[in-house]
């Protein structure tokens, strides 16, 4: 419960130099905070490795928002502090960074409708008048039929000629007058960009690779081609890291699509989870032998119709939101399971995958709204306890697998709570990448 393991390597032959990847799936805002707490638990569990010391980072949606700073050397404790406004290195992530209304489209698109309607209406009436002889007799017949027997069928027949002309003139453009999203996530891009600059980190995939030696990959979905896109130093490096995070986190309907790219060649992107739940295969393709994947969205299993409250026996009793929540979790989780099974059956993969998820009976997290910014603290605390309990249950197996990759663990370090100042693995000192920074300045000119 909580952890799924695919073990395919020969553990009798340790590979401490093999590549290790951290893959972070989506989860929206509360799911992202849930992952921050869980990563803090994982960070304490690992004694000689930090979650900011993996070789490969891959982020999807909210996972991209976390993968970017982790690949730059930030500890999850620092990310937790940013949620609370207690970090000295990161700005506080505020509600307006997430809930920025899509003012521009709400102001311009309805006004465009009025303008276009004023131009189309006279021409449309002219067209109707010109074509009137073609169906004059038929129109009179339909009018008499409606007058003698007014019902839905005769009413539809009466207005069908006018509706056909309206459709011809507007060419289905009415959908274009509706805003493409309730909110605009450009402040998420600005937040990532601002904090990378503040800490001397490059906002470029290639320069980040040169500086840290780590590979960062961020997934997104191209809205016009419906194809998944992977941004990275040796994948698509045409956009900045902060722009890739913006593209990856553009939840359809909630956020307007992220239009990014070189001027004149911009593309519209939406949430990476539309195509991929975690994209573990990309990490494997780039040489990862050990993959730790963290997916916060898992469907709730209501065993014996219990566990979701005394008044409700079924998820359906909780209403529309709960049904939709379960449906999307099931969709995302089933795709992830298929990917895991493919790796398990693949003759070319000889590594190990550790998939961390909430317990399938975690009613508390299931009830937590993914878009509830005001639940960040609760989500982080619950994520810490969730991963803490899962690591304890699978400790013996995990210790054996991780040891083969040169990673030591200590279960006792998880005895404290999320707020306790338990020493974690090696911390970023600020001068850690000094030599590489000098090298980067030389390379970049």
């Amino acid at each position: 419960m909580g952890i799924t393991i695919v073990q395919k390597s020969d553990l009798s032959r340790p590979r401490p130099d093999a590549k290790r990847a951290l893959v972070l799936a989506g989860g929206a805002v509360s799911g992202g905070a849930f992952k921050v707490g869980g990563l803090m638990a994982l960070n304490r569990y690992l004694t000689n490795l930090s979650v900011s010391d993996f070789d490969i980072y891959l982020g999807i949606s909210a996972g991209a928002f976390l993968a970017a700073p982790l690949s730059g050397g930030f500890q999850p404790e620092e990310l937790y502090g940013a949620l609370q406004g207690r970090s000295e290195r990161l700005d506080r992530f505020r509600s307006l960074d997430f809930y920025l209304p899509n003012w521009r489209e709400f102001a311009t698109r309805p006004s465009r409708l009025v303008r276009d309607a004023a131009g189309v209406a006279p021409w449309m009436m002219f067209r109707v008048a010109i074509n009137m002889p073609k169906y004059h007799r038929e129109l009179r017949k339909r009018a008499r039929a409606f007058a003698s027997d007014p019902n839905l069928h005769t009413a539809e027949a009466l207005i069908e000629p006018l509706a056909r002309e309206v459709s011809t003139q507007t060419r289905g453009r009415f959908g274009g007058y509706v805003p493409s999203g309730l909110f605009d996530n450009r402040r998420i891009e600005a937040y990532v960009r601002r904090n990378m600059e503040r800490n001397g980190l490059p906002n470029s995939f290639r320069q980040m690779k040169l500086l840290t030696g780590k590979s960062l990959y961020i997934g997104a979905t191209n809205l016009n081609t419906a194809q998944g896109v992977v941004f990275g130093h040796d994948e698509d490096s045409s956009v900045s890291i902060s722009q890739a995070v913006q593209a990856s986190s553009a939840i359809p309907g909630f956020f307007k699509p992220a239009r990014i790219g070189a001027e004149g060649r911009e593309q519209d992107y939406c949430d990476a989870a539309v195509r991929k739940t975690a994209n573990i295969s990309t990490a494997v393709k780039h040489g990862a032998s050990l993959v730790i994947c963290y997916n916060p969205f898992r469907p709730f299993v209501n065993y014996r119709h219990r566990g979701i409250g005394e008044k409700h026996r079924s998820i359906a009793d909780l209403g529309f939101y709960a049904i939709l929540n379960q449906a999307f979790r099931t969709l995302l989780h089933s795709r992830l399971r298929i990917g895991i099974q493919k790796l398990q059956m693949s003759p070319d993969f000889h590594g190990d995958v550790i998939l961390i998820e909430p317990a399938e009976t975690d009613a508390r997290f299931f009830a937590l709204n993914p878009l509830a910014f005001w639940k960040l603290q609760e989500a982080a605390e619950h994520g810490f306890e969730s991963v803490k309990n899962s690591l304890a249950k699978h400790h013996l197996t995990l210790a054996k697998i991780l040891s083969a990759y040169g990673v030591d663990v200590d279960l006792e370090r998880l005895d404290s709570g999320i707020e306790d100042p338990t020493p974690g693995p090696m911390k970023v000192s600020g001068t850690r990448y000094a030599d590489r920074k000098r090298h980067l300045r030389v390379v970049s000119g």
Side-chain angles (χ1 to χ4, degrees), residues 300-322:
F300 176 71
V301 179
N302 189 23
Y303 285 116
R304 301 177 184 175
H305 300 288
R306 294 184 300 182
I308 54 175
E310 297 179 358
K311 297 180 180 180
H312 307 289
R313 296 187 64 253
S314 171
I315 290 175
D317 296 336
L318 298 175
F320 173 78
Y321 166 74

Side-chain angles (χ1 to χ4, degrees), residues 241-262:
I241 293 174
S242 59
Q243 287 177 320
V245 172
Q246 180 188 8
S248 185
S249 60
I251 305 169
F254 187 79
F255 288 126
K256 75 172 190 176
R259 180 165 295 178
I260 60 174

Side-chain angles (χ1 to χ4, degrees), residues 124 161-174:
M124 185 175 64
L162 180 60
R164 184 170 60 245
E165 289 296 333
V166 171
S167 177
T168 300
Q169 296 306 312
T170 59
R171 297 182 178 88
R173 291 179 295 180
F174 282 112

Side-chain angles (χ1 to χ4, degrees), residues 8-274:
K8 295 185 68 177
S9 69
D10 183 358
L11 298 181
S12 65
R13 302 175 60 185
R15 295 186 293 169
D17 297 327
K19 286 187 178 181
R20 298 168 294 212
L22 181 63
V23 177
L24 301 176
V29 67
S30 63
F34 185 85
K35 285 201 294 286
V36 169
L39 289 170
M40 290 175 65
L42 179 63
N43 214 30
R44 294 187 190 179
Y45 183 64
L46 309 176
T47 61
N48 64 335
L49 180 76
S50 164
V51 295
S52 64
D53 288 325
F54 281 68
D55 303 294
I56 297 173
Y57 291 85
L58 195 149
I60 296 287
S61 191
F65 183 78
L66 302 178
L70 289 173
S71 69
F74 285 96
Q75 298 291 329
E77 290 80 6
E78 200 81 51
L79 303 180
Y80 180 62
L83 297 180
Q84 301 174 310
R86 300 188 313 189
S87 171
E88 296 181 357
R89 301 180 62 199
L90 294 172
D91 298 338
R92 182 170 191 170
F93 187 62
R94 301 182 180 278
S95 58
L96 194 59
D97 293 324
F98 187 73
Y99 294 121
L100 177 66
N102 187 11
W103 296 118
R104 183 175 300 175
E105 290 190 357
F106 273 97
T108 59
R109 292 201 175 194
S111 62
R112 192 170 66 197
L113 171 61
V114 175
R115 181 196 64 197
D116 290 353
V120 168
W123 172 248
M124 185 175 64
M125 298 305 296
F126 175 74
R127 289 273 302 176
V128 170
I130 291 296
N131 293 324
M132 186 62 72
K134 296 180 182 179
Y135 51 74
H136 179 68
R137 291 181 181 178
E138 185 66 23
L139 187 63
R140 291 177 58 188
K141 180 179 178 181
R142 295 181 184 189
R144 286 196 299 268
F146 176 75
S148 61
D149 183 18
N151 57 53
L152 181 61
H153 176 71
T154 56
E156 287 179 344
L158 179 62
I159 66 173
E160 187 269 335
L162 180 60
R164 184 170 60 245
E165 289 296 333
V166 171
S167 177
T168 300
Q169 296 306 312
T170 59
R171 297 182 178 88
R173 291 179 295 180
F174 282 112
Y177 301 119
V178 179
S180 58
L182 296 175
F183 299 95
D184 186 342
N185 72 341
R186 57 190 169 91
R187 287 198 62 157
I188 292 179
E189 186 278 332
Y191 177 88
V192 175
R193 170 168 39 85
R194 183 174 66 250
N195 282 282
M196 294 184 75
E197 292 174 353
R198 174 182 173 184
N199 289 276
L201 293 173
N203 195 15
S204 159
F205 286 98
R206 291 180 177 176
Q207 291 186 349
M208 182 70 88
K209 174 66 174 179
L210 288 172
L211 175 66
T212 66
K214 305 169 190 174
S215 299
L216 170 64
Y217 300 102
I218 293 175
T221 302
N222 187 307
L223 188 62
N224 291 301
T225 65
Q227 295 299 310
V229 178
V230 177
F231 298 107
H233 74 279
D234 53 357
E235 292 274 358
D236 186 339
S237 60
S238 62
V239 303
S240 66
I241 293 174
S242 59
Q243 287 177 320
V245 172
Q246 180 188 8
S248 185
S249 60
I251 305 169
F254 187 79
F255 288 126
K256 75 172 190 176
R259 180 165 295 178
I260 60 174
E263 186 175 355
R265 292 183 295 174
E266 299 95 339
Q267 293 287 332
D268 288 324
Y269 296 93
C270 63
D271 197 312
V274 172

